[in-house]
Amino acid sequence: EDQVTQSPEALRLQEGESSSLNCSYTVSGLRGLFWYRQDPGKGPEFLFTLYSAGEEKEKERLKATLTKKESFLHITAPKPEDSATYLCAVRPKGAQKLVFGQGTRLTINP
Amino acid sequence: GAVVSQHPSWVICKSGTSVKIECRSLDFQATTMFWYRQFPKQSLMLMATSNEGSKATYEQGVEKDKFLINHASLTLSTLTVTSAHPEDSSFYICSADREGREYEQYFGPGTRLTVT
């Protein structure tokens, strides 16, 4: 069964304190791994799609990496406005739908 | 990035009435759209996959006669909650596939439904 597990469930950091969020997955063939950011009361905002092990993508203070079993979302020198829930999802090959993890709730204190 | 809109952003209705929620892809065509619901502090729960011009595929446990989905064009899908009850109160979010050089899926801003 295709499955996505995110850790930690919640993370509190001080402004400027870099860290990483983990997304472990098991899937019967990977078409893509996705990272989204979701603010309270809003729909998820697309961040990245990764397709193969070794791939990396960056956007501002965020960098996503991918291995055959997990993905990391690295956040460098975060600011309070980076506080949000970060969702990871996989799209199995041959499937249309995404399989989501439970998310990591990130809080950046000023 | 691509834009997906939803209307209305919030709605309050009385028990027993029906409510329609629209999902539009504003700057791209979407052969496939998805409908999710989300409870507080929980992740997204897929309700159904909507393909343009064909019947929606519902996830196990989702009543297709209660949650009617229509995907009549490449930019519009609708979700109708029929005979709504308080337990249908939730946050409903749609998403749309944008396939091209890279595969991306974009989400709408969500619709908060409250049934009284």
Side-chain angles (χ1 to χ4, degrees):
Chain A
E1 185 185 345
D2 302 317
Q3 200 167 2
V4 177
T5 303
Q6 290 187 246
S7 62
E9 201 173 299
L11 180 63
R12 283 185 175 273
L13 300 172
Q14 289 299 121
E15 184 173 0
E17 181 184 359
S18 302
S19 187
S20 297
L21 313 183
N22 178 263
C23 171
S24 298
Y25 65 92
T26 54
V27 66
S28 52
L30 180 69
R31 182 168 177 184
L33 183 139
F34 305 81
W35 282 100
Y36 290 89
R37 168 197 171 123
Q38 186 176 26
D39 293 299
K42 296 188 178 181
E45 175 191 342
F46 173 80
L47 295 174
F48 305 107
T49 308
L50 301 169
Y51 296 96
S52 57
E55 190 175 358
E56 298 182 353
K57 288 191 177 174
E58 287 186 67
K59 181 180 179 179
E60 296 181 359
R61 295 177 291 282
L62 299 176
K63 178 175 155 181
T65 61
L66 181 65
T67 72
K68 287 187 178 178
K69 293 184 179 180
E70 59 191 352
S71 176
F72 291 94
L73 185 65
H74 307 277
I75 182 160
T76 303
K79 299 181 179 181
E81 53 262 41
D82 295 320
S83 297
T85 295
Y86 289 85
L87 298 168
C88 173
V90 297
R91 184 175 182 186
K93 277 186 179 174
Q96 289 185 304
K97 61 185 180 183
L98 300 183
V99 178
F100 277 89
Q102 289 300 308
T104 293
R105 197 165 57 254
L106 177 65
T107 304
I108 308 298
N109 295 316
Chain B
V3 180
V4 175
S5 70
Q6 276 183 248
H7 178 80
S9 55
W10 61 270
V11 57
I12 301 172
C13 70
K14 291 189 175 180
S15 189
T17 62
S18 296
V19 174
K20 180 185 282 189
I21 302 170
E22 291 186 350
C23 176
R24 293 181 186 273
S25 55
L26 297 185
D27 53 358
F28 66 99
Q29 292 185 327
T31 306
T32 306
M33 290 184 171
F34 305 85
W35 286 95
Y36 296 82
R37 65 188 295 184
Q38 187 175 37
F39 294 104
K41 296 191 177 181
Q42 292 189 23
S43 192
L44 302 166
M45 185 185 82
L46 180 67
M47 298 175 66
T49 301
S50 166
N51 287 294
E52 186 265 338
S54 62
K55 289 184 179 180
T57 303
Y58 290 81
E59 294 299 300
Q60 194 171 9
V62 177
E63 299 175 60
K64 62 180 181 181
D65 294 331
K66 181 168 187 61
F67 299 100
L68 301 178
I69 291 172
N70 184 272
H71 193 162
S73 78
L74 287 173
T75 58
L76 174 64
S77 177
T78 60
L79 168 68
T80 301
V81 183
T82 62
S83 187
H85 291 284
E87 56 265 31
D88 298 323
S89 299
S90 190
F91 192 51
Y92 292 87
I93 313 174
C94 72
S95 69
D97 269 2
R98 188 176 84 168
E99 297 206 35
R101 189 169 57 87
E102 288 201 357
Y103 171 77
E104 296 168 343
Q105 188 173 125
Y106 292 90
F107 284 80
T111 296
R112 172 74 57 194
L113 170 64
T114 303
V115 185
T116 61

